[in-house]
Amino acid sequence: MKSLLWFVLGLAGGFVAAHLVNKDPRGHEALVEVDARIAEFTDRIGEAYRAQEAKIDGIAAEVKDAAANALGAAKDAAADAIDAAGDAASTAASAAKKTAAQLTD
């Protein structure tokens, strides 16, 4: 509870001090400069964030494209394997029929 009281007193004291400094022209200039530096800092952080976000979006798009290509290749390979298995089964069935016909003759 004591810490909260000191925090509130420090916060109020800071506002009073900032108000008094802002009344003086030199203090006002100093506060304007501090505000400009803070704005510049936040702008730089925002630009860096947007650049990093764009970079990550680009990587995600590349991964998505690669996954789509891999899926297409897997589908094609599976279709080819199914076709080959069907052809092999057809060939085996034809051979079995031929053998059965030869045995019955």
Side-chain angles (χ1 to χ4, degrees):
M1 189 68 178
K2 207 182 247 188
S3 297
L4 179 63
L5 176 65
W6 282 112
F7 176 74
V8 171
L9 286 175
L11 195 61
F15 278 115
V16 169
H19 180 71
L20 293 174
V21 168
N22 195 32
K23 282 186 175 183
D24 183 28
R26 293 175 297 171
H28 180 73
E29 288 176 20
L31 289 178
V32 167
E33 183 180 332
V34 167
D35 186 47
R37 287 184 181 185
I38 290 172
E40 180 184 353
F41 175 76
T42 56
D43 289 344
R44 285 185 181 179
I45 293 296
E47 288 172 9
Y49 175 82
R50 286 184 288 281
Q52 191 69 14
E53 186 178 33
K55 181 179 176 182
I56 290 171
D57 286 345
I59 292 170
E62 289 175 9
V63 168
K64 186 177 178 181
D65 290 343
N69 291 340
L71 180 61
K75 282 183 180 180
D76 291 343
D80 290 345
I82 289 172
D83 289 343
D87 290 345
S90 177
T91 302
S94 294
K97 282 183 186 179
K98 186 178 181 182
T99 304
Q102 287 176 352
L103 290 175
T104 57
D105 287 340

Coordinates of all heavy atoms in Angstrom, one line a residue:
M1 N 0.8 -1.2 0.0 CA 0.0 0.0 0.0 C 0.9 1.3 0.0 O 0.6 2.2 -0.6 CB -0.9 -0.1 1.2 CG -2.0 1.0 1.2 SD -3.1 0.6 -0.1 CE -4.2 1.9 0.1
K2 N 2.0 1.2 0.8 CA 2.9 2.3 0.8 C 3.5 2.6 -0.5 O 3.7 3.7 -0.9 CB 4.0 2.0 1.9 CG 4.6 3.2 2.5 CD 5.7 2.8 3.5 CE 5.3 3.1 4.9 NZ 6.4 2.8 5.8
S3 N 3.9 1.5 -1.3 CA 4.5 1.7 -2.6 C 3.5 2.3 -3.5 O 3.9 3.2 -4.4 CB 4.8 0.3 -3.1 OG 5.8 -0.3 -2.3
L4 N 2.2 2.0 -3.4 CA 1.2 2.6 -4.3 C 1.1 4.1 -4.0 O 1.0 4.9 -4.9 CB -0.1 1.9 -4.1 CG -1.3 2.5 -5.0 CD1 -1.0 2.3 -6.4 CD2 -2.6 1.8 -4.6
L5 N 1.1 4.5 -2.7 CA 1.1 5.9 -2.4 C 2.3 6.6 -2.9 O 2.1 7.7 -3.5 CB 1.0 6.0 -0.8 CG 1.0 7.4 -0.3 CD1 -0.2 8.2 -0.7 CD2 1.2 7.4 1.2
W6 N 3.5 6.1 -2.8 CA 4.7 6.7 -3.4 C 4.6 6.8 -4.9 O 5.0 7.8 -5.5 CB 5.9 6.0 -2.9 CG 6.3 6.3 -1.5 CD1 6.3 5.5 -0.5 CD2 6.8 7.5 -1.1 NE1 6.7 6.1 0.6 CE2 7.1 7.4 0.3 CE3 7.0 8.8 -1.6 CZ2 7.5 8.4 1.1 CZ3 7.5 9.8 -0.8 CH2 7.8 9.6 0.5
F7 N 4.0 5.8 -5.5 CA 3.9 5.9 -7.0 C 2.9 7.0 -7.4 O 3.2 7.8 -8.3 CB 3.3 4.5 -7.5 CG 3.1 4.5 -8.9 CD1 4.1 4.5 -9.9 CD2 1.7 4.5 -9.4 CE1 3.8 4.4 -11.2 CE2 1.5 4.5 -10.8 CZ 2.5 4.5 -11.7
V8 N 1.8 7.1 -6.7 CA 0.8 8.1 -7.0 C 1.4 9.5 -6.8 O 1.2 10.5 -7.6 CB -0.5 7.9 -6.2 CG1 -1.4 9.1 -6.4 CG2 -1.2 6.7 -6.7
L9 N 2.1 9.7 -5.6 CA 2.8 10.9 -5.3 C 3.8 11.3 -6.4 O 3.9 12.5 -6.8 CB 3.4 10.9 -3.9 CG 2.4 11.0 -2.8 CD1 3.1 10.8 -1.4 CD2 1.6 12.3 -2.8
G10 N 4.6 10.3 -6.8 CA 5.6 10.6 -7.8 C 5.0 10.9 -9.2 O 5.5 11.8 -9.9
L11 N 3.9 10.3 -9.5 CA 3.2 10.6 -10.7 C 2.6 12.0 -10.7 O 2.8 12.8 -11.7 CB 2.1 9.6 -10.9 CG 1.4 9.5 -12.3 CD1 2.4 9.1 -13.3 CD2 0.3 8.5 -12.2
A12 N 2.0 12.4 -9.6 CA 1.5 13.7 -9.5 C 2.6 14.8 -9.5 O 2.5 15.8 -10.1 CB 0.6 13.8 -8.2
G13 N 3.7 14.5 -8.8 CA 4.8 15.4 -8.8 C 5.4 15.6 -10.2 O 5.8 16.7 -10.5
G14 N 5.5 14.5 -10.9 CA 6.0 14.6 -12.3 C 5.1 15.5 -13.2 O 5.6 16.3 -14.0
F15 N 3.8 15.3 -13.0 CA 2.9 16.2 -13.8 C 3.0 17.7 -13.4 O 3.1 18.6 -14.3 CB 1.4 15.8 -13.6 CG 1.0 14.6 -14.5 CD1 0.7 13.4 -14.0 CD2 1.0 14.8 -15.9 CE1 0.3 12.3 -14.8 CE2 0.7 13.7 -16.7 CZ 0.3 12.5 -16.1
V16 N 3.2 17.9 -12.1 CA 3.3 19.3 -11.7 C 4.7 19.9 -12.2 O 4.7 21.0 -12.7 CB 3.3 19.4 -10.1 CG1 3.7 20.7 -9.6 CG2 1.9 19.1 -9.6
A17 N 5.7 19.1 -12.1 CA 7.0 19.5 -12.6 C 7.0 19.8 -14.1 O 7.5 20.8 -14.6 CB 8.1 18.5 -12.3
A18 N 6.3 18.9 -14.8 CA 6.2 19.1 -16.3 C 5.4 20.4 -16.6 O 5.8 21.1 -17.5 CB 5.6 17.9 -16.9
H19 N 4.4 20.6 -15.8 CA 3.6 21.8 -16.1 C 4.4 23.1 -15.8 O 4.4 24.1 -16.6 CB 2.3 21.8 -15.2 CG 1.5 23.0 -15.3 ND1 0.7 23.2 -16.5 CD2 1.2 24.0 -14.5 CE1 0.0 24.3 -16.4 NE2 0.3 24.8 -15.2
L20 N 5.2 23.1 -14.7 CA 6.0 24.2 -14.4 C 7.1 24.4 -15.4 O 7.4 25.6 -15.8 CB 6.6 24.1 -13.0 CG 5.6 24.1 -11.8 CD1 6.3 23.8 -10.5 CD2 4.9 25.5 -11.8
V21 N 7.7 23.4 -15.9 CA 8.8 23.5 -16.9 C 8.2 24.0 -18.2 O 8.8 24.8 -18.9 CB 9.5 22.1 -17.1 CG1 10.4 22.1 -18.3 CG2 10.3 21.7 -15.9
N22 N 7.0 23.6 -18.5 CA 6.3 24.0 -19.8 C 6.0 25.5 -19.8 O 5.9 26.1 -20.9 CB 5.1 23.1 -20.0 CG 4.6 23.2 -21.4 OD1 5.4 23.4 -22.4 ND2 3.3 23.1 -21.6
K23 N 5.8 26.1 -18.6 CA 5.5 27.5 -18.6 C 6.7 28.3 -19.0 O 6.5 29.4 -19.5 CB 5.1 27.9 -17.1 CG 3.7 27.5 -16.8 CD 3.3 28.0 -15.5 CE 1.8 27.8 -15.2 NZ 1.4 28.3 -13.9
D24 N 7.9 27.9 -18.7 CA 9.1 28.6 -19.0 C 9.4 28.4 -20.5 O 9.4 27.2 -21.0 CB 10.3 28.1 -18.1 CG 11.6 28.8 -18.4 OD1 11.5 30.0 -18.8 OD2 12.7 28.2 -18.2
P25 N 9.8 29.4 -21.2 CA 10.1 29.2 -22.7 C 11.2 28.2 -23.0 O 11.1 27.4 -23.9 CB 10.4 30.6 -23.2 CG 9.9 31.6 -22.2 CD 9.8 30.8 -20.9
R26 N 12.3 28.3 -22.2 CA 13.3 27.3 -22.4 C 12.9 25.9 -22.0 O 13.2 25.0 -22.7 CB 14.5 27.7 -21.5 CG 15.2 29.0 -21.9 CD 16.3 29.4 -20.9 NE 15.6 29.6 -19.6 CZ 16.3 29.8 -18.5 NH1 17.6 29.7 -18.4 NH2 15.6 30.0 -17.3
G27 N 12.1 25.8 -21.0 CA 11.6 24.5 -20.6 C 10.6 23.9 -21.7 O 10.6 22.8 -22.0
H28 N 9.8 24.9 -22.2 CA 8.9 24.5 -23.3 C 9.7 24.0 -24.5 O 9.3 22.9 -25.1 CB 8.0 25.7 -23.7 CG 7.0 25.4 -24.8 ND1 5.9 24.6 -24.6 CD2 7.0 25.7 -26.1 CE1 5.3 24.5 -25.7 NE2 5.9 25.2 -26.7
E29 N 10.7 24.6 -24.9 CA 11.6 24.2 -26.0 C 12.2 22.8 -25.7 O 12.2 22.0 -26.6 CB 12.7 25.2 -26.3 CG 12.2 26.5 -26.9 CD 13.3 27.5 -27.1 OE1 14.5 27.1 -27.1 OE2 13.0 28.7 -27.2
A30 N 12.6 22.6 -24.5 CA 13.2 21.3 -24.1 C 12.1 20.2 -24.2 O 12.4 19.1 -24.8 CB 13.8 21.4 -22.7
L31 N 10.9 20.5 -23.8 CA 9.9 19.5 -23.9 C 9.5 19.2 -25.3 O 9.2 18.1 -25.7 CB 8.7 19.9 -23.0 CG 8.8 19.9 -21.5 CD1 7.6 20.4 -20.8 CD2 9.2 18.5 -21.1
V32 N 9.5 20.3 -26.1 CA 9.2 20.1 -27.6 C 10.2 19.2 -28.2 O 9.9 18.3 -29.0 CB 9.1 21.5 -28.3 CG1 9.1 21.3 -29.8 CG2 7.8 22.2 -27.8
E33 N 11.5 19.4 -27.9 CA 12.6 18.6 -28.4 C 12.5 17.2 -28.0 O 12.7 16.2 -28.8 CB 13.9 19.2 -28.0 CG 15.1 18.4 -28.6 CD 16.5 19.0 -28.2 OE1 16.5 20.2 -27.8 OE2 17.4 18.2 -28.1
V34 N 12.2 17.0 -26.7 CA 12.0 15.6 -26.2 C 10.8 14.9 -26.9 O 10.9 13.8 -27.3 CB 11.7 15.6 -24.7 CG1 11.2 14.2 -24.2 CG2 13.0 16.0 -23.9
D35 N 9.7 15.7 -27.1 CA 8.6 15.1 -27.8 C 8.9 14.8 -29.3 O 8.5 13.7 -29.8 CB 7.4 16.1 -27.8 CG 6.2 15.6 -28.4 OD1 5.8 14.4 -28.0 OD2 5.5 16.3 -29.2
A36 N 9.7 15.6 -29.9 CA 10.1 15.3 -31.3 C 11.0 14.1 -31.4 O 10.9 13.2 -32.3 CB 10.9 16.5 -31.9
R37 N 11.9 13.9 -30.4 CA 12.8 12.7 -30.3 C 11.9 11.5 -30.1 O 12.2 10.4 -30.7 CB 13.8 12.9 -29.3 CG 14.9 13.8 -29.7 CD 16.0 13.9 -28.7 NE 17.0 14.8 -29.0 CZ 18.2 15.0 -28.4 NH1 18.4 14.3 -27.3 NH2 19.0 15.9 -28.8
I38 N 11.0 11.6 -29.2 CA 10.1 10.4 -29.0 C 9.3 10.1 -30.2 O 9.2 8.9 -30.6 CB 9.2 10.7 -27.8 CG1 10.0 10.7 -26.5 CG2 8.1 9.6 -27.7 CD1 9.2 11.2 -25.3
A39 N 8.8 11.1 -30.9 CA 8.1 10.8 -32.2 C 9.0 10.2 -33.2 O 8.6 9.3 -33.9 CB 7.5 12.1 -32.7
E40 N 10.2 10.7 -33.3 CA 11.1 10.1 -34.3 C 11.4 8.6 -33.9 O 11.5 7.8 -34.8 CB 12.4 10.9 -34.3 CG 13.5 10.4 -35.2 CD 14.8 11.1 -35.1 OE1 14.9 12.2 -34.4 OE2 15.8 10.7 -35.8
F41 N 11.6 8.4 -32.7 CA 11.9 7.0 -32.2 C 10.7 6.1 -32.5 O 10.9 5.0 -33.1 CB 12.2 7.0 -30.7 CG 12.3 5.6 -30.1 CD1 13.5 4.9 -30.3 CD2 11.3 5.1 -29.4 CE1 13.7 3.6 -29.8 CE2 11.5 3.8 -28.8 CZ 12.7 3.1 -29.0
T42 N 9.5 6.5 -32.2 CA 8.4 5.7 -32.5 C 8.2 5.5 -34.0 O 7.7 4.4 -34.4 CB 7.1 6.2 -31.9 OG1 6.9 7.6 -32.3 CG2 7.2 6.2 -30.3
D43 N 8.5 6.5 -34.8 CA 8.4 6.3 -36.3 C 9.4 5.3 -36.7 O 9.0 4.4 -37.6 CB 8.6 7.7 -37.0 CG 7.5 8.6 -36.8 OD1 6.4 8.2 -36.4 OD2 7.7 9.8 -37.1
R44 N 10.6 5.3 -36.2 CA 11.6 4.3 -36.6 C 11.2 2.9 -36.2 O 11.4 2.0 -37.0 CB 13.0 4.7 -36.0 CG 13.6 5.8 -36.7 CD 15.0 6.1 -36.1 NE 15.7 7.2 -36.8 CZ 16.9 7.6 -36.5 NH1 17.6 7.0 -35.5 NH2 17.4 8.6 -37.1
I45 N 10.7 2.8 -35.0 CA 10.2 1.5 -34.6 C 9.1 1.0 -35.4 O 9.1 -0.2 -35.8 CB 9.8 1.5 -33.1 CG1 11.0 1.8 -32.2 CG2 9.1 0.3 -32.7 CD1 12.1 0.8 -32.2
G46 N 8.2 1.9 -35.8 CA 7.1 1.5 -36.6 C 7.5 1.1 -38.0 O 7.1 0.1 -38.6
E47 N 8.5 1.8 -38.6 CA 9.0 1.4 -39.9 C 9.7 0.1 -39.9 O 9.6 -0.8 -40.8 CB 10.0 2.5 -40.4 CG 9.3 3.8 -40.8 CD 10.3 4.9 -41.1 OE1 11.5 4.6 -41.1 OE2 9.9 6.1 -41.3
A48 N 10.5 -0.1 -38.8 CA 11.2 -1.4 -38.6 C 10.2 -2.6 -38.5 O 10.4 -3.6 -39.1 CB 12.2 -1.4 -37.5
Y49 N 9.2 -2.3 -37.8 CA 8.1 -3.3 -37.6 C 7.5 -3.7 -38.9 O 7.3 -4.8 -39.2 CB 7.1 -2.9 -36.6 CG 5.9 -3.8 -36.4 CD1 6.1 -4.9 -35.6 CD2 4.7 -3.6 -37.1 CE1 5.0 -5.8 -35.5 CE2 3.7 -4.5 -37.0 CZ 3.8 -5.6 -36.2 OH 2.8 -6.5 -36.0
R50 N 7.1 -2.6 -39.7 CA 6.5 -2.9 -41.0 C 7.4 -3.6 -41.9 O 7.0 -4.5 -42.7 CB 5.9 -1.6 -41.5 CG 4.7 -1.1 -40.8 CD 4.1 0.2 -41.5 NE 4.9 1.4 -41.2 CZ 4.9 2.1 -40.1 NH1 4.1 1.7 -39.1 NH2 5.7 3.2 -40.0
A51 N 8.7 -3.2 -41.9 CA 9.7 -3.9 -42.8 C 9.8 -5.4 -42.4 O 9.8 -6.2 -43.3 CB 11.0 -3.2 -42.7
Q52 N 9.9 -5.6 -41.1 CA 10.0 -7.0 -40.7 C 8.7 -7.8 -41.0 O 8.8 -9.0 -41.4 CB 10.3 -7.1 -39.2 CG 10.6 -8.4 -38.6 CD 12.0 -8.9 -39.1 OE1 12.8 -8.1 -39.6 NE2 12.3 -10.1 -39.0
E53 N 7.6 -7.2 -40.8 CA 6.3 -7.8 -41.2 C 6.2 -8.2 -42.7 O 5.8 -9.3 -43.0 CB 5.1 -6.9 -40.8 CG 3.8 -7.6 -40.9 CD 2.7 -6.6 -40.5 OE1 2.8 -5.4 -40.6 OE2 1.7 -7.2 -40.0
A54 N 6.7 -7.2 -43.5 CA 6.7 -7.5 -45.0 C 7.6 -8.6 -45.3 O 7.3 -9.5 -46.1 CB 7.1 -6.2 -45.7
K55 N 8.8 -8.7 -44.6 CA 9.8 -9.7 -44.9 C 9.1 -11.1 -44.5 O 9.3 -12.1 -45.2 CB 11.0 -9.5 -44.0 CG 12.1 -10.5 -44.2 CD 13.3 -10.1 -43.4 CE 14.4 -11.2 -43.4 NZ 15.5 -10.8 -42.6
I56 N 8.5 -11.2 -43.3 CA 7.9 -12.4 -42.9 C 6.7 -12.8 -43.8 O 6.6 -14.0 -44.1 CB 7.4 -12.3 -41.4 CG1 8.6 -12.2 -40.5 CG2 6.5 -13.4 -41.0 CD1 8.3 -11.9 -39.1
D57 N 5.9 -11.8 -44.3 CA 4.9 -12.1 -45.2 C 5.4 -12.7 -46.5 O 4.8 -13.6 -47.1 CB 4.1 -10.9 -45.5 CG 3.1 -10.5 -44.4 OD1 2.9 -11.3 -43.5 OD2 2.7 -9.3 -44.4
G58 N 6.6 -12.2 -47.0 CA 7.2 -12.7 -48.2 C 7.7 -14.1 -48.0 O 7.5 -15.0 -48.9
I59 N 8.3 -14.4 -46.8 CA 8.7 -15.8 -46.6 C 7.5 -16.7 -46.5 O 7.6 -17.8 -47.0 CB 9.5 -15.8 -45.2 CG1 10.9 -15.1 -45.5 CG2 9.8 -17.2 -44.8 CD1 11.7 -14.8 -44.2
A60 N 6.4 -16.3 -45.8 CA 5.3 -17.1 -45.7 C 4.7 -17.4 -47.0 O 4.2 -18.5 -47.3 CB 4.2 -16.4 -44.8
A61 N 4.6 -16.4 -47.9 CA 4.1 -16.6 -49.3 C 5.0 -17.7 -50.0 O 4.4 -18.5 -50.7 CB 4.1 -15.3 -50.1
E62 N 6.3 -17.6 -49.9 CA 7.2 -18.5 -50.5 C 7.0 -19.9 -50.0 O 6.9 -20.9 -50.8 CB 8.6 -18.1 -50.3 CG 9.1 -16.9 -51.1 CD 10.5 -16.4 -50.8 OE1 11.2 -17.2 -50.1 OE2 10.9 -15.4 -51.2
V63 N 6.8 -20.0 -48.7 CA 6.5 -21.4 -48.1 C 5.2 -21.9 -48.6 O 5.1 -23.1 -48.9 CB 6.6 -21.3 -46.5 CG1 6.0 -22.5 -45.9 CG2 8.0 -21.0 -46.1
K64 N 4.2 -21.1 -48.7 CA 2.9 -21.5 -49.1 C 3.0 -22.0 -50.6 O 2.4 -23.0 -50.9 CB 1.9 -20.3 -49.0 CG 0.5 -20.7 -49.3 CD -0.4 -19.5 -49.1 CE -1.8 -19.8 -49.5 NZ -2.7 -18.7 -49.3
D65 N 3.7 -21.3 -51.4 CA 3.9 -21.7 -52.8 C 4.6 -23.0 -52.9 O 4.3 -23.9 -53.7 CB 4.6 -20.6 -53.6 CG 3.8 -19.4 -53.8 OD1 2.6 -19.4 -53.7 OD2 4.4 -18.3 -54.2
A66 N 5.7 -23.2 -52.1 CA 6.5 -24.4 -52.1 C 5.6 -25.6 -51.6 O 5.7 -26.7 -52.2 CB 7.7 -24.3 -51.2
A67 N 4.7 -25.3 -50.6 CA 3.9 -26.4 -50.1 C 2.8 -26.8 -51.2 O 2.5 -28.0 -51.4 CB 3.2 -25.9 -48.8
A68 N 2.3 -25.8 -51.9 CA 1.3 -26.0 -53.0 C 2.0 -26.8 -54.1 O 1.4 -27.8 -54.6 CB 0.8 -24.7 -53.5
N69 N 3.2 -26.5 -54.4 CA 4.0 -27.2 -55.5 C 4.3 -28.7 -55.0 O 4.1 -29.6 -55.8 CB 5.3 -26.5 -55.8 CG 5.0 -25.2 -56.5 OD1 4.0 -25.0 -57.1 ND2 6.0 -24.3 -56.5
A70 N 4.6 -28.8 -53.8 CA 4.9 -30.2 -53.2 C 3.6 -31.0 -53.2 O 3.7 -32.2 -53.6 CB 5.5 -30.1 -51.8
L71 N 2.5 -30.4 -52.9 CA 1.3 -31.1 -52.8 C 0.9 -31.5 -54.3 O 0.4 -32.7 -54.5 CB 0.2 -30.2 -52.2 CG -1.2 -30.9 -52.2 CD1 -1.2 -32.1 -51.3 CD2 -2.2 -29.8 -51.6
G72 N 1.1 -30.6 -55.2 CA 0.7 -31.0 -56.6 C 1.6 -32.1 -57.1 O 1.1 -33.0 -57.8
A73 N 2.9 -32.1 -56.8 CA 3.8 -33.1 -57.2 C 3.4 -34.5 -56.5 O 3.5 -35.5 -57.2 CB 5.3 -32.8 -56.8
A74 N 3.0 -34.4 -55.2 CA 2.6 -35.6 -54.5 C 1.3 -36.2 -55.2 O 1.2 -37.4 -55.3 CB 2.4 -35.3 -53.1
K75 N 0.4 -35.3 -55.5 CA -0.8 -35.8 -56.2 C -0.5 -36.4 -57.5 O -1.0 -37.5 -57.9 CB -1.8 -34.6 -56.4 CG -2.5 -34.2 -55.2 CD -3.5 -33.1 -55.5 CE -4.3 -32.6 -54.3 NZ -5.2 -31.5 -54.7
D76 N 0.4 -35.8 -58.3 CA 0.8 -36.4 -59.6 C 1.5 -37.7 -59.4 O 1.2 -38.7 -60.2 CB 1.7 -35.4 -60.3 CG 1.0 -34.1 -60.8 OD1 -0.2 -34.1 -60.8 OD2 1.7 -33.2 -61.1
A77 N 2.4 -37.8 -58.4 CA 3.1 -39.1 -58.2 C 2.1 -40.2 -57.8 O 2.2 -41.3 -58.2 CB 4.1 -38.9 -57.1
A78 N 1.1 -39.8 -56.9 CA 0.1 -40.8 -56.5 C -0.7 -41.2 -57.7 O -1.0 -42.4 -57.8 CB -0.8 -40.2 -55.4
A79 N -1.1 -40.3 -58.5 CA -1.9 -40.6 -59.7 C -1.1 -41.6 -60.6 O -1.7 -42.5 -61.1 CB -2.4 -39.4 -60.4
D80 N 0.1 -41.3 -60.8 CA 1.0 -42.1 -61.6 C 1.1 -43.5 -61.0 O 1.1 -44.5 -61.8 CB 2.4 -41.5 -61.8 CG 2.3 -40.2 -62.7 OD1 1.3 -40.0 -63.4 OD2 3.3 -39.5 -62.7
A81 N 1.3 -43.6 -59.7 CA 1.4 -44.9 -59.1 C 0.1 -45.7 -59.2 O 0.2 -46.9 -59.4 CB 1.8 -44.7 -57.6
I82 N -1.0 -45.0 -59.1 CA -2.3 -45.7 -59.2 C -2.5 -46.2 -60.6 O -2.9 -47.3 -60.9 CB -3.4 -44.8 -58.8 CG1 -3.4 -44.6 -57.3 CG2 -4.8 -45.3 -59.2 CD1 -4.4 -43.5 -56.8
D83 N -2.1 -45.4 -61.6 CA -2.2 -45.8 -63.0 C -1.3 -47.0 -63.3 O -1.6 -47.9 -64.0 CB -1.8 -44.6 -63.9 CG -2.9 -43.5 -64.0 OD1 -4.0 -43.8 -63.5 OD2 -2.5 -42.4 -64.4
A84 N 0.0 -46.9 -62.7 CA 0.9 -48.0 -62.9 C 0.4 -49.3 -62.3 O 0.5 -50.4 -62.9 CB 2.3 -47.6 -62.4
A85 N -0.2 -49.2 -61.1 CA -0.7 -50.3 -60.4 C -1.9 -50.9 -61.2 O -2.0 -52.1 -61.3 CB -1.1 -50.0 -59.0
G86 N -2.7 -50.0 -61.7 CA -3.8 -50.5 -62.5 C -3.4 -51.2 -63.8 O -3.9 -52.2 -64.2
D87 N -2.3 -50.6 -64.4 CA -1.8 -51.3 -65.6 C -1.2 -52.6 -65.3 O -1.4 -53.6 -66.0 CB -0.7 -50.4 -66.3 CG -1.3 -49.1 -66.9 OD1 -2.6 -49.1 -67.1 OD2 -0.5 -48.2 -67.2
A88 N -0.5 -52.7 -64.2 CA 0.1 -53.9 -63.8 C -0.9 -55.0 -63.4 O -0.8 -56.2 -63.8 CB 1.0 -53.7 -62.5
A89 N -2.0 -54.5 -62.8 CA -3.1 -55.5 -62.5 C -3.8 -55.9 -63.7 O -4.1 -57.1 -63.9 CB -4.1 -54.8 -61.5
S90 N -4.0 -55.0 -64.7 CA -4.6 -55.4 -65.9 C -3.7 -56.4 -66.7 O -4.2 -57.4 -67.3 CB -4.8 -54.2 -66.8 OG -5.4 -54.5 -68.0
T91 N -2.4 -56.1 -66.7 CA -1.5 -57.0 -67.4 C -1.5 -58.4 -66.7 O -1.5 -59.5 -67.4 CB -0.1 -56.4 -67.4 OG1 -0.1 -55.2 -68.0 CG2 0.9 -57.3 -68.1
A92 N -1.5 -58.4 -65.4 CA -1.5 -59.7 -64.6 C -2.8 -60.4 -64.9 O -2.8 -61.7 -65.1 CB -1.3 -59.4 -63.1
A93 N -3.9 -59.7 -65.0 CA -5.2 -60.4 -65.2 C -5.2 -60.9 -66.6 O -5.7 -62.1 -66.8 CB -6.3 -59.4 -65.0
S94 N -4.7 -60.2 -67.6 CA -4.6 -60.7 -68.9 C -3.7 -62.0 -69.0 O -4.1 -63.0 -69.7 CB -4.1 -59.7 -69.9 OG -5.0 -58.6 -70.0
A95 N -2.6 -61.9 -68.3 CA -1.7 -63.1 -68.3 C -2.4 -64.3 -67.7 O -2.2 -65.4 -68.1 CB -0.4 -62.7 -67.6
A96 N -3.1 -64.0 -66.6 CA -3.8 -65.1 -65.9 C -4.9 -65.7 -66.8 O -5.0 -66.9 -66.8 CB -4.4 -64.6 -64.6
K97 N -5.6 -64.9 -67.5 CA -6.6 -65.4 -68.4 C -6.0 -66.2 -69.5 O -6.5 -67.2 -69.9 CB -7.4 -64.2 -69.0 CG -8.4 -63.6 -68.1 CD -9.2 -62.5 -68.9 CE -10.1 -61.8 -68.0 NZ -10.9 -60.7 -68.7
K98 N -4.9 -65.7 -70.0 CA -4.2 -66.4 -71.1 C -3.7 -67.7 -70.6 O -3.8 -68.8 -71.3 CB -3.0 -65.5 -71.6 CG -2.3 -66.1 -72.8 CD -1.2 -65.2 -73.3 CE -0.5 -65.7 -74.5 NZ 0.5 -64.9 -75.0
T99 N -3.1 -67.7 -69.4 CA -2.6 -69.0 -68.8 C -3.8 -69.9 -68.6 O -3.7 -71.1 -68.9 CB -1.8 -68.7 -67.6 OG1 -0.8 -67.8 -67.8 CG2 -1.3 -70.0 -67.0
A100 N -4.9 -69.4 -68.1 CA -6.1 -70.2 -67.8 C -6.6 -70.8 -69.1 O -7.0 -72.0 -69.2 CB -7.1 -69.4 -67.1
A101 N -6.6 -70.0 -70.2 CA -7.1 -70.5 -71.4 C -6.2 -71.6 -72.0 O -6.7 -72.5 -72.6 CB -7.2 -69.3 -72.4
Q102 N -4.9 -71.4 -71.8 CA -4.0 -72.4 -72.3 C -4.1 -73.7 -71.5 O -4.0 -74.8 -72.1 CB -2.5 -71.9 -72.2 CG -2.2 -70.8 -73.2 CD -0.8 -70.3 -73.0 OE1 -0.1 -70.6 -72.0 NE2 -0.3 -69.4 -73.9
L103 N -4.4 -73.6 -70.2 CA -4.5 -74.8 -69.4 C -5.8 -75.6 -69.7 O -5.9 -76.8 -69.7 CB -4.5 -74.4 -67.9 CG -3.2 -74.0 -67.4 CD1 -3.3 -73.6 -65.9 CD2 -2.2 -75.1 -67.5
T104 N -6.8 -74.8 -70.1 CA -8.1 -75.5 -70.4 C -8.1 -76.1 -71.8 O -8.9 -77.0 -72.2 CB -9.3 -74.5 -70.3 OG1 -9.0 -73.4 -71.2 CG2 -9.5 -74.1 -68.9
D105 N -7.2 -75.6 -72.7 CA -7.1 -76.2 -74.0 C -6.4 -77.5 -74.0 O -6.0 -78.4 -73.8 CB -6.4 -75.3 -75.0 CG -7.2 -74.1 -75.3 OD1 -8.4 -74.1 -75.2 OD2 -6.6 -73.0 -75.7

